[in-house]
Amino acid sequence: MNQPQQDEERDDAVVGRAFVWSASLIVLALMIGAGAYWKMNQKPPAVVSKTEYEPPKPPKPLMVEIPDMPFKDITASAGIHFSHDSGAAGEKLLPETMGGGCAFLDYDNDGDQDILFVNSCRWPWDDAPVDPPPTQSLYRNDGDCQFTDVTKLVGLDVTFYGQGVAVGDFDGDGDVDLFFTAVGLNRLFRNDDGKFVDVTAETGVAGQPDQWSTSCGFIDYDNDGDLDLFVANYVKWTRDFDKAQPFTLTGRERAYGRPQNFPGTYPYLYRNDGGKFTEVGAESGLHVTNPARKDIAVAKSLGVTFVDADLDGYMDIFVANDTVQNFLFHNKQNGTFEEVAVLHNVAFDQQGNARGAMGIDSVRFRNGEHLAIVIGNFSNEMTALYVTRGDSMDFVDEANATGIGYQSRLELKFGTLFVDVDLDGRPDIVSTNGHLENEINKVQVSQQYAQTPHFFWNCGPESPTEFSQVPKAKCGGEFMKRMVGRGSAVADIDGDGDLDLLFAAVNSPARLLRNDQQLGNHWLRVDVSGPKQNRSAIGAEIEVQWANGKQIGQVMPTRSYLSQSELPVTFGLGKIDTIQQVTVTWPGGYKKVIESPKVDQLLRVTPDSE
């Protein structure tokens, strides 16, 4: 009779011991979990640890020799004396790192490319303002690579904390107007026969005073014939919030901060309603929010470009975001967009990580069959080269496969552009580079504040390395000179058919680089005028065909970082000396075909109704 009771007591003891062990394991697991949670939620250390330099992998040997493509720095001899002012006075505020944009434009309709620089300024709380204060700067092209400062003459001697610029004829009167982004309120200047008038208030495009706007561009997104306006915004920023962050390099001196600490934003989309604009960003589907928190904006946008990615006749929007996913806004042809970057593999890197994306550009290359998007990323991050096949919008990052990845990784890239420097018919890649922190070398031995620009020559898809970095001996020491590069733009300033470069810098002088290649390759430049209100013809597609090939280009000034390039489109032809036809397709579908144009000329194309 006692056995059951003893068994029961033993069972209770076993259960008790098991309970104690289980409880102990649970407590241990909770302690480990709490420790992990605590560690994961700690703020990152304020001190940046010193890193060792890991050199990039050596490139594969080329099958062809890189040609001579020298650039000459003609900044001073051309009469350009602009130097950017960041307003830095020791507080290390994030906007001081971003620099300003630049642009090529023909503001006076005389057929050559003038130059515009966007300037920032001293902060309103600065006790030592400069006199005269920094202003925007416009230089008129007087021919023979000579420029005259006409800033005050045309009414652009205005001071604000400028960032980027957009160029386009928003009112359809035949001359290009200027929109400036800023930390604070943005500005729109209407071009009235070569004089610029501030029409921001009456057009409704100032934005909010607490926003920080960056890259911007004119686009006819609804195909109604007039130019609308897209404006990227970076982060929610205030001086007090910035100063409250414990940013430091060495644990002592204050350093410039990082965007992860600042809230995201939404872009603006201004619909042109007959010369006045209505902001329709939210209703057009451009307000991207955190999937877990619908009240949190995602965008931290620095670069933007427009291209018809799926060839449906409507312009799509590519946005380069800093430390968060990139955006691809697919145009749904009804006035709205769908954000599809993750779906089409342009949101992240190959490991699924967001990068510090700055400048952006697009091109159709490899006989016009592939759309490529190039994005310049942060230091120790490769330049991205997203490429499609045919009319698909599905991209593959070919940075490693084409050789640009390991060659571009080290530097901090900003103004990134496709440029056919040698006119061989293959787009090369150029970028301005420079770090954010002037003392970065104290903690990262591989990094310098001023950095050399990138120049990657396109060797052709048959080469083991499609892109190869051009050495100093081939492009010249004046191109390779270190600078704290930011914006960049491209144009033919001297009428010789090849493309020259304009580099902007932060808190230092800009640079104008003339392309002095003498390779004898043929070329065709196409200057398109638009019908209706889009006289700039922004978004028009140009197809150049010859006996066994073709190229496709686009009228698109909105490229690079904070900047605008010229409206005429240059096609390098190599040794091809006979063109069968040129087809221009305007936004909305209107087409015009030009039969057998001569090479080595500027071809002007207008609608038949003009």
Side-chain angles (χ1 to χ4, degrees):
M1 292 180 60
N2 291 333
Q3 185 66 36
Q5 182 176 352
Q6 292 174 357
D7 292 342
E8 193 173 305
E9 289 173 351
R10 283 196 296 268
D11 291 342
D12 289 344
V14 171
V15 171
R17 286 194 297 272
F19 176 78
V20 171
W21 277 103
S22 299
S24 300
L25 290 172
I26 292 172
V27 170
L28 180 61
L30 289 173
M31 291 174 65
I32 294 173
Y37 178 83
W38 178 85
K39 186 174 182 180
M40 291 171 58
N41 285 274
Q42 289 302 294
K43 290 184 177 180
V47 179
V48 179
S49 60
K50 193 165 185 175
T51 61
E52 297 299 325
Y53 170 52
E54 179 186 347
K57 299 177 183 178
K60 299 176 183 178
L62 297 181
M63 297 177 64
V64 291
E65 182 181 357
I66 297 176
D68 290 324
M69 297 171 285
F71 283 89
K72 183 174 179 58
D73 189 332
I74 62 168
T75 313
S77 63
I80 305 294
H81 306 291
F82 174 81
S83 185
H84 177 263
D85 190 332
S86 71
E91 290 188 318
K92 296 271 187 170
L93 302 175
L94 186 57
E96 297 164 3
T97 67
M98 292 303 176
C102 56
F104 283 115
L105 70 161
D106 184 6
Y107 87 94
D108 51 1
N109 283 337
D110 65 352
D112 54 27
Q113 295 299 310
D114 310 301
I115 291 176
L116 175 75
F117 295 105
V118 183
N119 210 349
S120 302
C121 64
R122 300 303 173 95
W123 295 109
W125 52 82
D126 191 341
D127 294 331
V130 295
D131 186 25
T135 71
Q136 318 315 305
S137 291
L138 181 66
Y139 287 84
R140 183 185 65 220
N141 190 334
D142 294 330
D144 296 323
C145 293
Q146 294 298 306
F147 293 81
T148 299
D149 188 340
V150 294
T151 307
K152 187 172 184 179
L153 177 67
V154 302
L156 289 178
D157 53 334
V158 290
T159 299
F160 52 88
Y161 206 97
Q163 295 284 269
V165 64
V167 176
D169 182 8
F170 83 89
D171 56 355
D173 65 352
D175 48 29
V176 292
D177 311 297
L178 298 174
F179 177 83
F180 293 90
T181 59
V183 178
L185 297 176
N186 301 319
R187 311 286 184 94
L188 176 61
F189 290 85
R190 187 182 63 219
N191 188 340
D192 289 348
D193 296 323
K195 306 287 185 180
F196 288 92
V197 179
D198 191 332
V199 293
T200 310
E202 64 195 73
T203 53
V205 293
Q208 299 300 315
D210 61 346
Q211 283 284 18
W212 174 0
S213 299
T214 53
S215 290
C216 54
F218 288 104
I219 172 179
D220 183 8
Y221 79 94
D222 50 5
N223 281 1
D224 66 350
D226 57 22
L227 286 177
D228 312 297
L229 177 64
F230 177 90
V231 182
N233 289 314
Y234 188 34
V235 295
K236 284 285 188 181
W237 178 86
T238 66
R239 177 196 185 197
D240 291 341
F241 185 84
D242 196 332
K243 291 180 67 176
Q245 307 305 308
F247 300 132
T248 179
L249 282 177
T250 64
R252 296 184 299 274
E253 303 91 349
R254 177 169 166 80
Y256 285 110
R258 57 184 197 167
Q260 292 96 322
N261 289 50
F262 296 86
T265 57
Y266 301 118
Y268 299 131
L269 179 62
Y270 293 102
R271 186 185 65 221
N272 191 334
D273 294 329
K276 294 185 177 181
F277 292 85
T278 303
E279 206 286 303
V280 294
E283 62 200 74
S284 297
L286 301 186
H287 285 196
V288 180
T289 58
N290 188 312
R293 289 282 305 275
K294 295 299 184 182
D295 59 331
I296 296 179
V298 171
K300 297 181 180 182
S301 305
L302 288 176
V304 63
T305 194
F306 314 120
V307 64
D308 181 3
D310 57 348
L311 301 175
D312 64 354
Y314 283 76
M315 300 297 290
D316 307 301
I317 303 173
F318 282 86
V319 178
N321 282 317
D322 189 4
T323 70
V324 298
Q325 69 179 73
N326 300 318
F327 295 153
L328 167 52
F329 291 110
H330 178 230
N331 195 323
K332 298 172 67 176
Q333 306 182 24
N334 60 1
T336 68
F337 295 83
E338 180 183 10
E339 205 291 295
V340 294
V342 173
L343 179 64
H344 295 290
N345 197 37
V346 291
F348 303 107
D349 69 8
Q350 293 171 332
Q351 288 72 46
N353 301 313
R355 292 184 277 201
M358 313 293 177
I360 186 171
D361 197 5
S362 70
V363 72
R364 294 195 183 274
F365 73 145
R366 299 174 185 162
N367 205 36
E369 297 173 357
H370 299 250
L371 172 63
I373 305 295
V374 64
I375 300 178
N377 293 310
F378 203 76
S379 58
N380 299 314
E381 296 176 343
M382 298 178 182
T383 291
L385 184 65
Y386 299 106
V387 182
T388 66
R389 302 292 186 273
D391 59 358
S392 167
M393 280 209 310
D394 294 326
F395 290 82
V396 175
D397 190 346
E398 295 188 3
N400 273 327
T402 58
I404 192 174
Y406 52 77
Q407 297 178 92
S408 65
R409 183 176 62 83
L410 185 61
E411 288 79 12
L412 201 167
K413 288 74 66 178
F414 275 90
T416 307
L417 287 165
F418 283 111
V419 186
D420 185 359
V421 173
D422 57 342
L423 300 175
D424 64 353
R426 301 188 298 263
D428 312 305
I429 295 175
V430 173
S431 71
T432 55
N433 305 325
H435 214 280
L436 305 181
E437 177 57 61
N438 55 0
E439 296 182 320
I440 189 63
N441 187 250
K442 288 184 176 181
V443 294
Q444 294 189 36
V445 296
S446 64
Q447 293 296 319
Q448 299 291 334
Y449 184 45
Q451 300 178 352
T452 57
H454 276 161
F455 180 6
F456 297 106
W457 182 59
N458 190 327
C459 316
E462 69 283 353
S463 175
T465 300
E466 189 168 357
F467 288 95
S468 184
Q469 192 160 13
V470 179
K472 180 178 178 180
K474 297 294 185 177
C475 63
E478 296 183 32
F479 178 91
M480 299 297 288
K481 181 181 177 182
R482 291 179 180 270
M483 64 185 300
V484 191
R486 294 299 185 261
S488 64
V490 60
D492 178 11
I493 63 169
D494 50 2
D496 63 354
D498 58 28
L499 293 168
D500 311 294
L501 297 171
L502 183 65
F503 290 165
V506 62
N507 225 32
S508 51
R511 298 171 62 197
L512 178 61
L513 297 168
R514 188 183 65 208
N515 185 343
D516 284 348
Q517 63 84 28
Q518 299 290 330
L519 298 172
N521 288 326
H522 295 295
W523 49 272
L524 178 71
R525 286 171 49 77
V526 183
D527 187 7
V528 182
S529 298
K532 300 182 181 179
Q533 296 299 305
N534 183 6
R535 306 283 295 185
S536 303
I538 291 174
E541 182 182 277
I542 306 166
E543 182 174 304
V544 178
Q545 293 181 305
W546 55 91
N548 57 354
K550 66 179 180 180
Q551 285 188 50
I552 298 175
Q554 184 183 47
V555 179
M556 184 47 60
T558 304
R559 309 158 59 190
S560 179
Y561 167 77
L562 303 178
S563 301
Q564 302 273 289
S565 290
E566 65 173 352
L567 289 168
V569 181
T570 295
F571 296 89
L573 300 173
K575 303 309 175 185
I576 296 167
D577 59 5
T578 303
I579 296 174
Q580 292 181 338
Q581 65 180 26
V582 172
T583 303
V584 177
T585 305
W586 282 265
Y590 178 79
K591 291 188 178 184
K592 183 174 182 178
V593 177
I594 299 91
E595 300 288 349
S596 303
K598 294 181 179 180
V599 300
D600 302 334
Q601 67 153 327
L602 174 64
L603 177 65
R604 300 187 186 278
V605 182
T606 61
D608 289 331
S609 59
E610 294 293 304

